[in-house]
Amino acid sequence: MIDLAFVRANLPVVEEKLRSRGMDPAVALGDFASIDKERREAITEVETLKARRNKLTEEIARLRKSGADATAVTEETKSLKSEVETLEARATAADERLKTILQTIPNLPQDDVPVGSDEHGNIAEKHWGAKPAFDFTPRPHWEIGEALNILDFNRASKISGSRFVVHFGAGARLERALANFMLDLHTREHGYTEVLPPYMVNSKSLFGTGQLPKFAEDLFHCDDKGPYEPGNFQDGDHWLIPTAEVPVTNLFRDETIEESQLPISFCAYTPCFRSEAGSYGKDVRGMIRQHQFQKVELVKFVRPEDSEREHEALTRHAETILERLELPYRRMLLCTGDMGFASSKTYDLEVWLPGQQLYREISSCSNFESFQARRANIRYRPAGAKKSEHLHTLNGSGLAVGRTYLAILENYQQADGTIRVPHALVPYMNGDTVIGKQQSRS
RNA sequence: GGAGAGAUGGCAGAGUGGUUGAAUGUACCGCCUUGGAAAGGCGGCAUACUCGAAAGGGUAUCCAGGGUUCGAAUCCCUGUCUCUCCGCCA
């Protein structure tokens, strides 16, 4: 959520930033200025009336205590009641309207984010690694995986439906090896603390990180308590997490952290569940787009003045995984039109997939500045300061394990159909250097 | 799933309808005292919104949401969470 006071004081800037995101400020902001004014006027009126009421009730208490008759004052207070209720309803309505506007406005892009309408406006900031050369035609991962009997899409769809996969044998171990490798690297060399959070969260958490109320249709909701109503935080509801960002960022919801504790760096390996509503017919083959995939997520809580530097560092931590695995990639600076709702600046890391002859996103590293901290009410107290402030949150995939898996299949495939194990992964594969054909299941 | 108890400021813990935003203790900050410290003494110490140039007001907040009442931390209803016991269970 962006800051109400900031919008009020910088309306032209906000409009310009929204326009750069491809939004119509008139639609997004509505009649912000007049609603804001109306809200404040209504609040002033209600509070004046309430102040009067409070004075009268005090008067009643005094009169009663001294044994005097308080009937007249009691009657006046009674008559105030409906007036207060009417005005209060107006103030609440205006407040709700303003809240709705603020909650549905995306974060404002940083000044160095390129303006663009879609992914074509993204800028490749760097390329790393040489694309592997093959003396045969490299195949896509689904063909490789099925031929080796390590991936089974048909049985997955039988037991669960479309967009699922089953791993077998050395293939299942490869997934586990990747997760362990990533967690070890981030905890031992990059200073992250490993977290194992719940895989289900409540609505408040999803509001905190920005998935709700706007993106409910992308999530799996587990409770049969009727449809989700924006603004209605049903207590006790459960949603499957779409990313570990949600539980981990919300660890500090409604908390104030001492400045000396910052920065706080967490990494978490979790499954991620996404409904993929609206992506029918897209990436239907292979394990690019699944309802469930595993991911190692990096999350940081930092001082505002450190967030840009920390964003670069976090992105480097994700890149390091790709480099240790010797997977060619490029870093994309996302343009205004391609950034996520809560982000002020995002780098996507895209890995080269020779089987498909294209780059695919394998990590997304974002600086949310105070956007999530404001929604989730996460604060820190600057040393010596009286008032606490919202801190900055960041996160990035480090990496999406499923996509790393398929990148290895495609980049490390050999003419005989087997997979060479990247050097960094050999210790995590019981010393095996090759993944060969597994026992047939059919 | 059944039965019961509870949720108050950083922490502990009073408060069962009326100057209670909330006693008291403790922690924390400042000052006094000291060669320095401890102990002791004095003072300060929630958040959000809103009015105001500021000083300083006002409103709301005692888990959350409703209700009763002139007035609710206190009474009633619903929900959430925590604890105890029983059942079930990895």
Side-chain angles (χ1 to χ4, degrees), chain A residues 170-197:
Chain A
R173 176 153 62 202
L174 178 59
E175 162 87 22
R176 180 158 54 91
L178 281 168
N180 284 337
F181 165 70
M182 292 180 195
L183 288 170
D184 282 350
L185 184 60
H186 293 313
T187 55
R188 289 174 186 165
E189 298 184 35
H190 296 154
Y192 290 78
T193 301
E194 187 172 345
V195 180
L196 201 162

Side-chain angles (χ1 to χ4, degrees), chain A residues 234-247:
Chain A
Q234 305 169 13
D235 286 329
D237 58 349
H238 300 87
W239 305 70
L240 292 176
I241 57 170
T243 158
E245 158 193 355
V246 180

